[in-house]
Structures are given as C-alpha cells and as structure tokens.
Amino acid sequence: MSEHEEDFAAMFEASVKARQFTRGQTIEGTVVAFGPDVAFIDVGSKGEAEIDLAELKDADGDVEFSIGDRIQAMVVSTSGGIVLSRRGVRNAATQRELEDAFQAGLAVEGKVEKAVKGGLEVRLARERAFCPLSQIDVVRTEDPSVHVGQTYTFHIIEYKDSGKSIVVSRRRHLEEQQRANAAAVRQSIVPGAILTGRVASVPAFGAFVDLGGGIQGLLHVSDMAWSRVTSPNEVVAAGDQITVKVLRVDDATQKISLGLKQLQGDPWATVATAYAVGDVRTGRVTRVAEFGAFVELEPGIEALAHASTFAPTGRSGGWASSIAVGSTGAFEILSIDTAQKRIGVARVEEGTSRAAGATSAPGALVAGAIVTGKVERHEQFGVFVFLSPGRTGLMPLAETGLERDMDVRKAFPIGSEVEVVVQEIDAAGRRIRVSKKAVAEQREQAELREYAARQEAAPTASLGTMADNLRKALKGR
C-alpha cells in the first residue's frame, strides 16, 4: 500500500470514528446554517446535527449565535440523525423525546398532579408518569400533598411499553445538583461561618442539618440553646429552615459541628454584674443528682444546690425527697465562679422574709450566740451540726458535754435538733466551731450576772425605804 493510500485509510477511519456518537455525550460543533425551527451544527459527521432554534435564543427571543460560532451541546438522539440540546429535553413533548431522555439520562420537566398510593402522579407533556414517594425529595416526605401542583425537574428511571409505564425520580436530579455544588459549598463551611440549612433528620442526640450540596453538619442538642434541652424535638423539626454557626470542621473525617445557641449572647457574660453572693433568686429545679439539685435561675444560668446545704433528715439521701424536679422556690446564692461557670445556691425555707424576695445579706452568725441546729453527721473527732443553708459547724467531742463512756451517736441522732454556742467563726462564715457544753456554761454565767445585778440593786432599795419611814415618823411628831 502506497503512502498516499495509507493516509487516505487513516483519514477514513478517523471520519468513521467521529460519527460514532452516543446519547448523553457532550460534543462541540460549528453553527453552519439556520432553518425556520432548527439550527444546523457541523460536528464532523457525515451530516449536520440539529438543535432546536429556541435553545439558541436569549430572554428577549434573539438568537445569540451566528454562523461560524462554536457551540457545545449534548446528544439527545441518534435515531435518524443527530439531535442536540443545550438544556437536555426538559420540555419533551413526544414519546420519542421522552424515550431519548431516558436513554441519554437527561432531565425532563413535569408537574405533580395528585398523590396516589405509594407516590405521586406526574404529567410529562401528554404522558403520565409515577414518582415513588421515596424519590420525590432527598428527605422523607411525611405529607405527599405538599408537592401537588408543583413543577419539578425529574429523571426518567424506567421507560416501558412504549411510554405506557414511566417511572421518574426528582431525588436523582437533586442529588446530581448536590454533587455538582458540593465543592463550592464546602469552601464556605469554615469555623465561624453563619449558614442557612434545612434540618434533614432529628435523632435523640441532636439534628443533622443539610447545608447544601449534600453536605450535612451535626447540631448537637447541647448547642441548641443555653438552657437545658431534654429533647432536640423541642427546638427543631425535620424540614425546618434554620440559621446555624459553624463551630468546628474536622478535615480528616469531614465532620462538621454546628451551633444554634452561639448566635445568641452568652447569659454568663452578665453574671458578674447581675448576681451577688447573698442574693435570693427564684429558681426552677431541673434535675436531682446524688450530690445535689440543679436549679435554673434564668435560661442558660444553672446553679447547684449541694446536698450539704439541705437540712439533715437522718436518712441517707433523704434530702432529695424534699425537692422535686420542676418545682420552683427561693434560693440564696452562696458562691459564684464565672471562670468555671458555676453558682452555688441553697434553698430558702418558704414563709420567711428572704423567701418572699428579700435581697439583704443573710443573717450573720456571731461568736457567743446560742443557735439551734440539726445533727448532720458523726466523725471520730466530733459532730457536724447544720446551722443554716451553706453553714455547718463542727462540735468537737470535748464540747458535747458527754462523759467519755457515753455513746455520741445515741446522744445526738442524725436529724435531731441541738442547741449550741457559736465559739469561733471565720470571716467568710464557712469554718464554724460550736459547743453544746458551752450552752449550759453560758446560761449559768448569765444567771450569775443577773443575780449579782439584783444583789447590787437590793441595798439601795432598802436604804431608800428606811429613809422614807424616818421622814414619815418625824412628820408624825
């Protein structure tokens, strides 16, 4: 074979390959002519390809291309000639166009006409199609009627019996869009970004939020509100459009953490100025643990009433029966730690002036005062006496007034009332030393002082009487 024949054979083979187009393939060609309804495109095949002239017009109806311009389009049919489309066959009007769209995997437009068993009936031009309920959206649809009357873009996933049985999917089209947009969406997902998304699902631990492009982030229940949220369904529901803040993005696992409460001011920012030790505030008991009760003073501000601040009952954990979850009451603030976001409180007994709203400092304990408390617990070195919420005094064994062979536990049962003298107390009022023995001693001393005062006053009274009598006797003379 001569060199000329070899070149001709190569050119012929290349031309044959150029004519082998498939549905769904994107190709490039040159505009060579315009007809009344179509434009003719040279794509390197034996004949020109055709494209609907309407697809080459702008919004004003003017053709945007001229002869000689290059154009990209998708092959939607190869039967009886090559047919191209720049927008698929969304306005398909014939069974042939619908079949071509099915074969090429192109999108079509359809209107949802009614809900039927298991899905929805969709009108594609003059044909009816069925869309299973699971294929109408990327999230579960609880009420199919919300789609009735809507015009959507679908993919034909099944085409049988010359168009008598057509099954479509909107979900496939949405997922394709999500994949196409995923890269752009991910670039916008950075810590600190504020984004709008749709709640995809609500498990027990939070909510998954679709941020677009099929990318989901987790809104944990602890980041939904500053106040305690027992169930995420209290805050959001599937399908809700919400605005969230990106808290963290794990590049290794692609996990995204979102926050809702972070878009609101942190209530702890004002605690230092809004609260003070000694204040009495109304609070609501949110939960009771082994070590104490949690009390919500305001949304996002939760305090702890430690078990030790409750009056002893003589039973282990008996304090818990005196306070119920959901109940409200007055609580005195004992301590504030803004760095650790902790507030210690103690319940104020109902009926007292402080419980009614007084905000003055708590009644001060002073050395020498006789007070009544309740036995809280026993130790080898003494007895702890509950004096008031947040104030417990230590009564050393030597101050119980008991003989050495006597049983301290029997003499001072837990929960029983005991009268004691405050012997020592520090400036903060937290280290307190009390004595039962000193009560009797102090009262004896008080009685002696009272007796001595009476004795000092008695002679004066007697002399006065004698003088009066003398005056009376002299007058009688």
Side-chain angles (χ1 to χ4, degrees):
M1 182 181 294
S2 66
E3 183 177 346
H4 177 74
E5 290 174 334
E6 289 179 353
D7 290 342
F8 179 79
M11 291 173 62
F12 179 77
E13 183 179 356
S15 68
V16 172
K17 288 183 178 179
R19 293 196 298 268
Q20 295 178 349
F21 299 117
T22 58
R23 294 188 185 94
Q25 178 183 356
T26 299
I27 62 175
E28 187 173 354
T30 304
V31 180
V32 294
F34 293 101
D37 301 312
V38 298
F40 298 94
I41 312 298
D42 181 4
V43 293
S45 63
K46 186 175 181 180
E48 289 83 14
E50 297 179 4
I51 186 170
D52 192 333
L53 192 61
E55 294 196 31
L56 305 183
K57 295 180 179 180
D58 59 20
D60 296 326
D62 299 324
V63 177
E64 298 179 293
F65 295 86
S66 303
I67 293 176
D69 287 348
R70 301 288 291 175
I71 186 173
Q72 278 192 340
M74 181 181 292
V75 177
V76 296
S77 177
T78 58
S79 177
I82 301 173
V83 179
L84 305 177
S85 174
R86 296 180 65 213
R87 61 172 185 240
V89 286
R90 293 183 181 176
N91 296 318
T94 66
Q95 286 189 353
R96 175 185 169 185
E97 290 174 330
L98 292 174
E99 184 175 8
D100 288 341
F102 169 65
Q103 296 295 338
L106 300 176
V108 295
E109 283 186 351
K111 183 177 181 181
V112 180
E113 293 199 328
K114 61 180 178 180
V116 295
K117 184 178 180 180
L120 298 150
E121 185 177 294
V122 180
R123 175 68 63 177
L124 302 178
R126 295 185 295 272
E127 305 297 328
R128 288 187 303 173
F130 173 71
C131 179
L133 191 59
S134 62
Q135 296 298 314
I136 194 63
D137 207 339
V138 291
V139 296
R140 181 179 176 81
T141 298
E142 299 293 342
D143 182 11
S145 64
V146 299
H147 298 288
V148 175
Q150 300 294 324
T151 298
Y152 295 136
T153 300
F154 296 89
H155 273 286
I156 300 174
I157 58 176
E158 186 176 299
Y159 188 91
K160 293 181 178 180
D161 301 332
S162 300
K164 293 181 180 179
S165 176
I166 303 175
V167 180
V168 296
S169 169
R170 175 174 175 249
R171 178 172 182 166
R172 180 177 295 183
H173 175 71
L174 294 175
E175 289 174 342
E176 285 184 358
Q177 284 187 322
Q178 289 178 343
R179 286 190 290 271
N181 297 332
V185 171
R186 192 165 289 280
Q187 288 182 352
S188 66
I189 302 175
V190 294
I194 298 175
L195 306 172
T196 299
R198 181 174 64 171
V199 178
S201 60
V202 186
F205 51 84
F208 285 102
V209 182
D210 190 339
L211 302 174
I215 300 174
Q216 293 187 355
L218 173 62
L219 172 60
H220 195 270
V221 65
S222 61
D223 289 309
M224 288 184 171
W226 290 109
S227 57
R228 184 175 298 278
V229 178
T230 56
S231 171
N233 288 293
E234 298 174 3
V235 182
V236 297
D240 287 352
Q241 291 285 340
I242 61 173
T243 300
V244 292
K245 183 175 183 178
V246 179
L247 304 181
R248 293 173 299 278
V249 179
D250 190 324
D251 294 329
T253 62
Q254 297 296 301
K255 291 182 178 179
I256 303 167
S257 298
L258 306 173
L260 193 60
K261 71 180 185 182
Q262 286 76 9
L263 297 177
Q264 306 167 1
D266 185 350
W268 276 93
T270 60
V271 164
T273 56
Y275 293 84
V277 173
D279 286 353
V280 175
R281 298 296 182 94
T282 299
R284 180 178 64 88
V285 180
T286 57
R287 58 192 175 106
V288 177
E290 183 180 351
F291 50 83
F294 288 92
V295 180
E296 184 182 63
L297 301 177
E298 64 175 90
I301 303 296
E302 199 169 59
L304 173 65
H306 195 271
S308 62
T309 64
F310 292 88
T313 63
R315 295 179 291 108
S316 177
W319 65 271
S321 61
S322 67
I323 192 163
V325 174
S327 63
T328 59
F331 292 85
E332 178 188 338
I333 296 177
L334 305 179
S335 62
I336 300 174
D337 186 342
T338 54
Q340 298 294 324
K341 293 187 175 181
R342 293 175 180 173
I343 296 179
V345 297
R347 186 174 62 177
V348 178
E349 292 298 326
E350 294 182 7
T352 64
S353 60
R354 293 184 58 73
T359 57
S360 58
L365 290 174
V366 294
I370 297 178
V371 296
T372 300
K374 285 189 176 183
V375 177
E376 186 174 277
R377 69 181 189 276
H378 302 101
E379 298 291 348
Q380 292 182 347
F381 47 83
V383 179
F384 282 94
V385 180
F386 177 91
L387 302 175
S388 64
R391 294 176 173 83
T392 298
L394 170 62
M395 179 169 59
L397 293 177
E399 298 298 331
T400 60
L402 301 177
E403 300 294 335
R404 290 187 177 182
D405 57 347
M406 293 185 67
D407 190 337
V408 176
R409 295 177 184 272
K410 287 185 178 180
F412 299 99
I414 292 178
S416 62
E417 290 191 351
V418 58
E419 202 173 33
V420 294
V421 171
V422 178
Q423 292 186 312
E424 296 178 12
I425 181 170
D426 65 2
R430 293 294 179 261
R431 292 180 177 272
I432 305 169
R433 188 173 185 268
V434 297
S435 171
K436 170 65 175 174
K437 182 175 68 173
V439 173
E441 295 175 352
Q442 186 165 302
R443 283 182 173 159
E444 286 177 2
Q445 292 175 0
E447 290 175 359
L448 286 173
R449 287 194 297 271
E450 184 180 351
Y451 176 76
R454 288 199 303 269
Q455 291 298 103
E456 290 177 359
T460 303
S462 299
L463 288 173
T465 303
M466 291 175 62
D468 290 340
N469 291 334
L470 181 59
R471 282 192 293 270
K472 289 178 179 180
L474 293 173
K475 286 181 179 181
R477 292 180 183 181

